[in-house]
Amino acid sequence: MTSEAQSSVIRRLDESLINRIAAGEIIHRPSSALKELLENALDAGSTSIKITAKEGGLKMLQIQDNGSGIHKADLPVLCERFTTSKIKKFGDLAALTTYGFRGEALASISHVAHLSVVTKTKSDSCAWRCRHVFYSALSNALIQLVIEHVTMT
């Protein structure tokens, strides 16, 4: 078999590569991530949103809002693809009143950046931090999830 024939063999892509390709379809640049995060904040009912960016969002992009927050029990799946609170069945798509619904924004961002979410719902007595750390395929595509209590100062 020639090297050309070997390179044309159809193979299944590694999941980490699939996720990074998918992330590139959604997150083209920091402004794409900002748009997705702003839509999440608005969908959560935020009336106040503060944006902080360093070096055009390449070094840091931070969104602070007063939305409804994310329940601690939902944090482990927060950055998984196609996880959403907006729809349960196909028919729900016809009645959408939100900006986002697919559950891909945070998943995509977590595959191209270090992502940390600090959240508190109205019923929580404390805030929770969820850090998603994605290492490249060269590091076996390890995803580390850390959920910890946050002391507010």
Side-chain angles (χ1 to χ4, degrees), residues 3-78:
S3 63
E4 181 179 328
Q6 288 174 337
S7 67
S8 65
V9 172
I10 296 174
R11 65 187 60 77
R12 185 177 309 274
L13 294 175
D14 177 84
E15 188 170 345
S16 68
L17 178 56
I18 292 168
N19 289 332
R20 294 192 83 180
I21 290 169
E25 292 173 359
I26 295 167
I27 308 300
H28 304 283
R29 58 189 60 86
S31 61
S32 301
L34 177 60
K35 173 196 165 288
E36 297 289 345
L37 295 171
L38 285 173
E39 288 177 351
N40 284 356
L42 292 170
D43 286 346
S46 299
T47 58
S48 175
I49 302 172
K50 178 182 174 186
I51 301 165
T52 305
K54 290 184 181 174
E55 295 186 30
L58 292 172
K59 293 290 180 188
M60 183 189 74
L61 185 59
Q62 179 178 329
I63 309 296
Q64 292 175 281
D65 66 63
N66 65 345
S68 58
I70 301 166
H71 296 279
K72 180 186 177 199
D74 292 332
L75 293 176
V77 298
L78 184 65

Side-chain angles (χ1 to χ4, degrees), residues 1-152:
M1 190 181 280
T2 67
S3 63
E4 181 179 328
Q6 288 174 337
S7 67
S8 65
V9 172
I10 296 174
R11 65 187 60 77
R12 185 177 309 274
L13 294 175
D14 177 84
E15 188 170 345
S16 68
L17 178 56
I18 292 168
N19 289 332
R20 294 192 83 180
I21 290 169
E25 292 173 359
I26 295 167
I27 308 300
H28 304 283
R29 58 189 60 86
S31 61
S32 301
L34 177 60
K35 173 196 165 288
E36 297 289 345
L37 295 171
L38 285 173
E39 288 177 351
N40 284 356
L42 292 170
D43 286 346
S46 299
T47 58
S48 175
I49 302 172
K50 178 182 174 186
I51 301 165
T52 305
K54 290 184 181 174
E55 295 186 30
L58 292 172
K59 293 290 180 188
M60 183 189 74
L61 185 59
Q62 179 178 329
I63 309 296
Q64 292 175 281
D65 66 63
N66 65 345
S68 58
I70 301 166
H71 296 279
K72 180 186 177 199
D74 292 332
L75 293 176
V77 298
L78 184 65
C79 290
E80 289 183 17
R81 292 182 67 199
F82 307 114
T83 55
T84 182
S85 62
K86 314 267 178 25
I87 60 173
K88 292 180 183 166
K89 58 189 185 307
F90 186 77
D92 294 343
L93 293 172
L96 276 176
T97 58
T98 59
Y99 291 102
F101 66 90
R102 293 181 319 241
E104 286 197 83
L106 291 176
S108 295
I109 293 168
S110 75
H111 284 282
V112 297
H114 295 285
L115 179 68
S116 178
V117 174
V118 177
T119 187
K120 181 183 178 304
T121 64
K122 194 176 260 190
S123 62
D124 285 336
S125 59
C126 66
W128 297 95
R129 177 182 299 121
C130 180
R131 290 181 292 152
H132 289 260
V133 180
F134 176 83
Y135 297 101
S136 72
L138 297 174
S139 302
N140 296 322
L142 174 68
I143 298 175
Q144 177 186 14
L145 172 65
V146 177
I147 299 174
E148 57 193 356
H149 171 265
V150 176
T151 304
M152 305 302 278

